[in-house]
Amino acid sequence: MRLFFSLVSGLLFGLGLIVSGMGNPAKVLGFLDLAGAWDPSLALVMGGAIVVAMPAFWLARRRKLAILGDAMQLPGNRKLDRRLLLGSLVFGAGWGSAGFCPGPALVSLLAWQSKAWIFVAAMLAGMAVFAWLERRKMQDKQSSAAS
């Protein structure tokens, strides 16, 4: 049952990305071009996503278990720190330079967009570098604690 709901959720999300134009880098870059020919249509998409997500998060905060029975796991950290700000800057720079963010890039792979393949490869490389740096930081903490 979990696999079925995961599949349906993913298909619905991907369809929403396609219909909204989020998989089209030109549309995304038009939205980000505030000084030029700005296309505000994606602001409506994002606003719609927020309107849908707000009551869902409100309900989720009041539950101990998710709909399928797993423990509810919501983010607990509410502080703005250096890691969050730098990560946001890197995310925004990638989005602004390529016209993709992770979800739409994965959807665009199915359309065989070469830019999407390059973006996803770079995204995976960035994730691997991050995981390596995190492992290295943990190893450094463990070795300094053992000393």
Side-chain angles (χ1 to χ4, degrees):
M1 190 57 105
R2 178 167 305 167
L3 186 60
F4 172 75
F5 280 112
S6 297
L7 176 66
V8 170
S9 298
L11 289 173
L12 184 61
F13 182 68
L15 181 63
L17 291 174
I18 291 168
V19 169
S20 69
M22 290 290 289
N24 179 357
K27 187 160 188 76
V28 172
L29 293 173
F31 169 70
L32 296 173
D33 186 8
L34 299 176
W38 184 56
D39 178 2
S41 61
L42 290 184
L44 298 173
V45 171
M46 290 180 198
I50 291 169
V51 167
V52 170
M54 282 178 61
F57 273 97
W58 182 81
L59 288 170
R61 278 198 307 265
R62 284 150 178 71
R63 296 178 59 108
K64 297 274 188 225
L65 296 176
I67 292 171
L68 296 177
D70 292 331
M72 188 62 73
Q73 296 180 7
L74 294 173
N77 186 2
R78 299 179 71 85
K79 67 178 184 172
L80 294 175
D81 59 6
R82 190 176 84 118
R83 287 179 64 164
L84 176 64
L85 294 174
L86 286 174
S88 299
L89 286 171
V90 170
F91 178 87
W95 194 37
S97 63
F100 285 116
C101 62
L106 294 175
V107 170
S108 297
L109 288 178
L110 299 175
W112 291 98
Q113 291 185 29
S114 59
K115 280 182 74 172
W117 286 90
I118 294 167
F119 180 88
V120 170
M123 179 178 73
L124 292 173
M127 291 167 65
V129 168
F130 174 79
W132 177 76
L133 289 171
E134 286 296 301
R135 276 193 310 272
R136 193 168 155 201
K137 187 176 7 175
M138 291 302 288
Q139 289 171 349
D140 289 347
K141 280 184 181 179
Q142 290 171 351
S143 65
S144 66
S147 304

